Amino acid sequence: MKQKLHAINFSIFCWTSALIFKLLHCILLTAIATLLTITGFIIHFLVNSDMFNNKKTEIIHTPCPHEDKGPTTIIANGVCIEGDIKLNSNEEIVHILGRLKGDIIADNGNVEILRNGNIEGDISCNSLIVNGILNGHCVCESLEIGESGEVTGTITYLHLTIKKGGIFSGHAEHSDKWPQPIVHNLPVSTEENQMND
């Protein structure tokens, strides 16, 4: 950064000299100092201008962690949902930025509770990342409690990560194999009732 300012510092020095020469009525020295000032400013702008630099800016596409892995469900910030979410497809992703009072059943899906997200309910999923607040029972293969994450309740997991600043309060059960999903008392749809009859 200091190398880029050499030309501008030279210009300021020459401009100050030109003012002093002007006060001393030295017209020739004033003109020379003024020309050196203008030359210094031109050099500064040429060196720092992107037009003359050979550096090319590369645009690198960095995919999101869950990009192109399946459908995505987002509960936006400021939204409060009361009810359960059941995901039918494999590898579906749920991002929680708002508030959910209910359960999430995403046995092969991924759930991410973001910084302002808040869930009061049970979660059954493949992967859970908590950077918000979770109050309830959780069964998942991989659980990560982030730096701003807070989990209160019972967790059953295969892999657990709690980052510095993450909070866990409750009961934890490690499973050597992928645990069975939580059994929920969700209402059965009318189509399933007709099939059972």
Side-chain angles (χ1 to χ4, degrees):
M1 184 71 175
K2 290 183 179 181
Q3 292 178 346
K4 291 184 176 184
L5 298 178
H6 288 311
I8 201 81
N9 288 337
F10 175 75
S11 298
I12 292 170
F13 173 76
C14 291
W15 182 251
T16 306
S17 300
L19 290 175
I20 292 171
F21 293 142
K22 177 75 173 166
L23 290 174
L24 297 174
H25 302 288
C26 298
I27 297 173
L28 182 62
L29 292 176
T30 302
I32 293 172
T34 303
L35 288 174
L36 289 174
T37 300
I38 293 170
T39 304
F41 279 120
I42 291 171
I43 290 171
H44 172 75
F45 289 115
L46 289 176
V47 168
N48 295 318
S49 173
D50 289 336
M51 183 168 62
F52 296 103
N53 286 338
N54 292 332
K55 297 178 184 175
K56 294 183 181 178
T57 305
E58 291 183 33
I59 299 174
I60 300 172
H61 175 69
T62 306
C64 294
H66 300 298
E67 188 176 276
D68 297 330
K69 288 191 177 179
T72 302
T73 301
I74 298 174
I75 298 177
N77 194 9
V79 173
C80 181
I81 295 179
E82 291 187 26
D84 299 324
I85 297 175
K86 182 175 182 180
L87 306 178
N88 295 324
S89 66
N90 289 342
E91 298 185 7
E92 189 161 348
I93 302 146
V94 180
H95 296 285
I96 308 291
L97 292 129
R99 184 179 179 98
L100 172 68
K101 291 182 180 180
D103 301 334
I104 298 177
I105 303 170
D107 294 326
N108 292 319
N110 301 312
V111 178
E112 185 172 1
I113 305 170
L114 299 168
R115 197 172 288 268
N116 293 325
N118 187 328
I119 295 180
E120 291 181 31
D122 299 337
I123 298 178
S124 174
C125 64
N126 183 44
S127 171
L128 174 62
I129 299 172
V130 181
N131 282 309
I133 297 173
L134 169 62
N135 292 313
H137 184 75
C138 169
V139 176
C140 59
E141 182 178 358
S142 172
L143 171 60
E144 178 183 315
I145 302 173
E147 295 154 351
S148 61
E150 183 178 332
V151 176
T152 304
T154 302
I155 59 173
T156 305
Y157 62 89
L158 183 61
H159 305 285
L160 174 65
T161 304
I162 301 176
K163 293 191 176 178
K164 184 177 180 179
I167 299 171
F168 170 67
S169 175
H171 179 73
E173 294 179 30
H174 178 264
S175 176
D176 292 332
K177 58 185 176 196
W178 170 237
Q180 296 296 319
I182 302 170
V183 177
H184 294 277
N185 296 324
L186 296 178
V188 180
S189 68
T190 55
E191 292 175 10
E192 290 176 0
N193 280 337
Q194 292 172 357
M195 293 175 73
N196 292 335
D197 291 337

